[in-house]
Amino acid sequence: MYYNAPVIIIKSIDFSEADKLVTVFSEQYGKLRAIARGIKKPKSSLRSCVQPFCYSQLHFYRGRDLELITQGKLLDFFGNSREDLERTLYSTYLMEMLDKSLLDRMPVPGLFGLTLNTLQSINNHGLNPLFIRRFELNLAVNLGYGPVLNQCVSCGQSQTLVGFSLAEGGMVCRECRHTTKAGIINISGECLAILRQLEGANNNVLRRLRASAPALDQLEHFLEQYLQYHLERKFNLKDTIRYLKPPRQCVDN
Ligand SMILES: [Zn+2]
């Protein structure tokens, strides 16, 4: 069966002397793994469309285990991001999260548009950490692990929420904090207010949102722990990014 789809390239690795194994994310079909034959030959027209974090229209032939890529057309290369190490790292970090959390051939339609939107925002407007945080939170929500943010997961009250219980997947109030044993992450009022806005915030809201450096740090730490806890995965690129010290201030050209 032949079919085609717009896809985001998650990764591309050597498969044999002339071929590459390409992992892609498609809105309709989810994560797919496909062989790009002869791609290492200088004249291969597919070369430019299977670079990591490219947006491409690919034509496939459905195989038993792996698809075969028969043709491709590059839709967006995200050239600004590729010229900048930090933007490249963050764009690749999004791909690493998709690779480690999605199952093969399981569509997650809500996540495709957000991935594309986040790649475009990084490319067109620079690196705003809140766009990365929105992606992380929505990854969890789309995979069915959305955190409970509006009430205490223990007693249900919505006042004085002071921390987050990883094991219970939600905020806890000051009283329940003392009786909940392990794995509580401190969440300030500011951090909680940002978290509550993040899930559904459009780009304009995110660009206008101002956050203090401590709140941004706490938000980043919280989402990292939360994703690692639920996905049981560590994201290697986060260590590289930390080593290179990401900027704290929002950039918006
Ligand atoms: Zn409580």
Side-chain angles (χ1 to χ4, degrees):
M1 187 185 91
Y2 289 92
Y3 64 102
N4 70 81
V7 301
I8 295 162
I9 310 296
I10 292 178
K11 68 179 180 186
S12 186
I13 57 170
D14 287 348
F15 187 69
S16 66
E17 206 158 301
D19 307 341
K20 279 195 179 241
L21 176 61
V22 184
T23 306
V24 308
F25 181 36
S26 121
E27 182 163 31
Q28 200 177 347
Y29 307 102
K31 187 170 85 171
L32 298 171
R33 291 180 304 137
I35 299 292
R37 285 230 170 102
I39 192 150
K40 294 192 210 162
K41 292 177 187 156
K43 281 187 184 164
S44 169
S45 58
L46 277 181
R47 277 163 83 104
S48 62
C49 2
V50 298
Q51 304 285 328
F53 74 85
C54 271
Y55 179 42
S56 301
Q57 181 80 25
L58 294 185
H59 294 245
F60 298 99
Y61 176 71
R62 172 152 292 175
R64 205 155 23 137
D65 297 318
L66 300 170
E67 323 291 89
L68 187 69
I69 301 171
T70 57
Q71 283 179 62
K73 184 178 167 227
L74 184 65
L75 301 175
D76 201 335
F77 190 61
F78 305 112
N80 294 338
S81 291
R82 263 168 235 279
E83 285 177 9
D84 180 273
L85 175 63
E86 209 151 48
R87 293 196 216 183
T88 298
L89 278 173
Y90 272 99
S91 302
T92 313
Y93 166 61
L94 302 182
M95 299 302 104
E96 187 191 8
M97 281 193 281
L98 292 176
D99 192 34
K100 289 186 172 170
S101 60
L102 301 181
L103 300 173
D104 283 2
R105 298 186 201 268
M106 200 183 88
V108 195
L111 201 56
F112 184 85
L114 179 67
T115 308
L116 193 57
N117 179 316
T118 308
L119 288 172
Q120 285 165 340
S121 298
I122 296 173
N123 184 69
N124 299 341
H125 302 287
L127 201 57
N128 179 333
L130 289 173
F131 281 72
I132 309 291
R133 303 292 91 84
R134 179 179 63 179
F135 182 87
E136 291 168 333
L137 177 63
N138 278 287
L139 179 69
V141 170
N142 274 280
L143 294 174
Y145 301 115
V148 176
L149 300 174
N150 290 321
Q151 61 182 60
C152 171
V153 277
S154 260
C155 72
Q157 71 127 318
S158 56
Q159 306 299 313
T160 63
L161 303 175
V162 293
F164 191 92
S165 162
L166 281 178
E168 293 182 67
M171 295 297 296
V172 286
C173 70
R174 186 168 292 147
E175 288 75 44
C176 295
R177 197 202 154 108
H178 299 299
T179 54
T180 311
K181 286 181 186 85
I184 301 282
I185 300 174
N186 286 331
I187 303 270
S188 69
E190 186 188 1
C191 185
L192 180 59
I194 301 167
L195 258 175
R196 283 172 173 167
Q197 285 194 65
L198 267 189
E199 186 185 330
N202 68 32
N203 291 357
N204 288 334
V205 170
L206 274 200
R207 282 197 198 100
R208 282 200 303 267
L209 217 160
R210 291 290 165 250
S212 71
L216 282 177
D217 284 348
Q218 195 173 62
L219 185 65
E220 180 175 3
H221 174 74
F222 163 68
L223 284 168
E224 189 172 338
Q225 301 256 315
Y226 188 68
L227 285 175
Q228 282 181 13
Y229 184 86
H230 283 287
L231 302 173
E232 295 175 353
R233 294 280 201 283
K234 188 155 169 53
F235 299 106
N236 303 326
L237 268 170
K238 271 322 275 283
D239 293 334
T240 311
I241 289 168
R242 233 189 310 275
Y243 177 73
L244 291 167
K245 291 184 189 147
R248 276 182 164 180
Q249 295 306 309
C250 301
V251 179
D252 200 351
N253 308 326

